[in-house]
Amino acid sequence: MEHAQHIIESTQEIFSSMVMLEVTPGEPFVRVDEKLVNSISGIVGLAGTTKGMLAIHMSNAAALAVTTAFLGMEVSEIDEDVRDAIGELANMLAGSLKSVLDPSGGDIKLSMPSAVYGEEYSIDCLANAQAATVPFSFDGMNFMVELQLRKDS
Amino acid sequence: MGKTVLIVDDSNTMRKIVSRALRQAGIDFSTILEAGDGQEALGVLEANQVDVILSDINMPNMNGLEFLKAKSENPAIKDIPVVMISTETGADIIDEAKSYGAKGAIKKPFTPDLINETLGALL
């Protein structure tokens, strides 16, 4: 849970400066155990001395609202623009957290962002990983940012 | 005659966001060209006169560092200034980018003011 505060700071900065939305953090918890329903997740993998993933999970409604604000144009279905936008948010979050975990930039590699979406799915990354998840809300909608990490000794 | 900028990023979303930030920064480019990776960017540079390039680093096919290296080896385009715009702004990566001629780096997330400040010195 030590990374929850980094997640909160990075997410608020990215949403405020790039998406023009003020998001409010809720109480952090360890990991997303329940299945995600009618949702989309942007995911970036971490490899190197620290392995894991950074994921942002949004309901379809939240993803449409965020993409509309991000691109400055109305978006009404989960299309390529939405998948790209949510993947890019995950990419910026992972980059921001990487700068905390690996200030020199040489120890951790980030994957290209990807997006998963569907009516019902679950995502798991690593056994024995440390995890921290922070829920956020804006305009009556919610999303979660989840970090799973395992540092090689 | 107005100036031309080339935005290189595999994310269509980010290309739109960078274009919008350039307008918000008050930088008046007459032409905004786009490319989805380094290889595509080299093709755009062959066919167009470009004044400045804004490039991501982490891209498929040919990433930003490979693009910089290829560009630095081509006398016709090697002097066009490049600013990296990326989530990857660790010292090691930026040093490598500068060794291939990058003039600066902007970390995502960015503000129009930061873009204005960085590009203003190059235009």
Side-chain angles (χ1 to χ4, degrees):
Chain A
M1 299 290 278
E2 64 179 290
H3 297 301
Q5 191 58 35
H6 296 143
I7 293 173
I8 291 170
E9 289 168 8
S10 298
T11 304
Q12 288 187 310
E13 182 194 7
I14 287 165
F15 273 77
S16 174
S17 63
M18 301 292 287
V19 189
M20 312 302 169
L21 280 177
E22 300 304 324
V23 299
T24 303
E27 193 63 34
F29 55 99
V30 178
R31 68 173 68 225
V32 178
D33 286 326
E34 76 271 27
K35 287 188 171 153
L36 296 154
V37 177
N38 292 322
S39 296
I40 178 167
S41 299
I43 303 166
V44 170
L46 287 76
T49 55
T50 299
K51 299 176 173 61
M53 72 159 192
L54 180 291
I56 181 167
H57 310 291
M58 289 191 180
S59 67
N60 288 347
L64 293 174
V66 165
T67 305
T68 294
F70 198 13
L71 295 180
M73 63 182 211
E74 193 68 30
V75 180
S76 57
E77 60 179 326
I78 303 295
D79 59 9
E80 189 178 341
D81 280 339
V82 176
R83 295 192 292 272
D84 189 57
I86 303 307
E88 192 55 38
L89 285 172
N91 191 36
M92 285 190 281
L93 283 164
S96 182
L97 290 162
K98 180 187 165 180
S99 67
V100 175
L101 298 167
D102 176 22
S104 74
D107 294 334
I108 298 175
K109 302 289 181 200
L110 300 180
S111 75
M112 306 293 298
S114 55
V116 176
Y117 60 103
E119 293 179 5
E120 186 177 281
Y121 61 92
S122 57
I123 293 173
D124 201 10
C125 176
L126 288 167
N128 304 319
Q130 287 189 330
T133 304
V134 181
F136 292 88
S137 61
F138 67 96
D139 297 343
M141 285 179 268
N142 303 292
F143 66 92
M144 296 178 284
V145 177
E146 179 180 20
L147 182 66
Q148 292 192 21
L149 292 178
R150 187 176 70 203
K151 193 174 175 71
D152 286 351
S153 53
Chain B
M1 189 170 154
K3 293 187 181 296
T4 297
V5 61
L6 169 61
I7 301 169
V8 189
D9 199 308
D10 57 310
S11 165
N12 181 42
T13 298
M14 282 315 301
R15 297 198 300 271
K16 287 178 183 170
I17 298 297
V18 172
S19 294
R20 184 176 70 191
L22 288 170
R23 289 193 300 274
Q24 290 172 335
I27 303 174
D28 189 20
F29 287 105
S30 60
T31 307
I32 297 178
L33 302 172
E34 298 184 6
D37 60 44
Q39 194 66 53
E40 201 178 313
L42 291 173
V44 171
L45 291 172
E46 270 184 29
N48 298 274
Q49 188 78 33
V50 171
D51 296 290
V52 66
I53 301 165
L54 299 172
S55 178
D56 189 15
I57 293 176
N58 195 11
M59 297 182 287
N61 302 322
M62 178 185 280
N63 69 34
L65 296 176
E66 292 165 340
F67 164 61
L68 279 175
K69 185 169 185 295
K71 175 182 160 296
S72 71
E73 292 166 353
N74 183 339
I77 57 175
K78 72 179 179 63
D79 292 328
I80 302 170
V82 183
V83 172
M84 312 312 288
I85 298 190
S86 181
T87 57
E88 297 267 12
T89 53
D92 292 359
I93 291 173
I94 297 309
D95 285 349
E96 189 174 356
K98 287 185 173 172
S99 75
Y100 294 133
K103 299 297 183 189
I106 296 171
K107 182 169 171 42
K108 299 174 187 172
F110 51 77
T111 62
D113 285 348
L114 183 58
I115 288 196
N116 194 13
E117 187 181 307
T118 308
L119 285 189
L122 298 174
L123 294 170

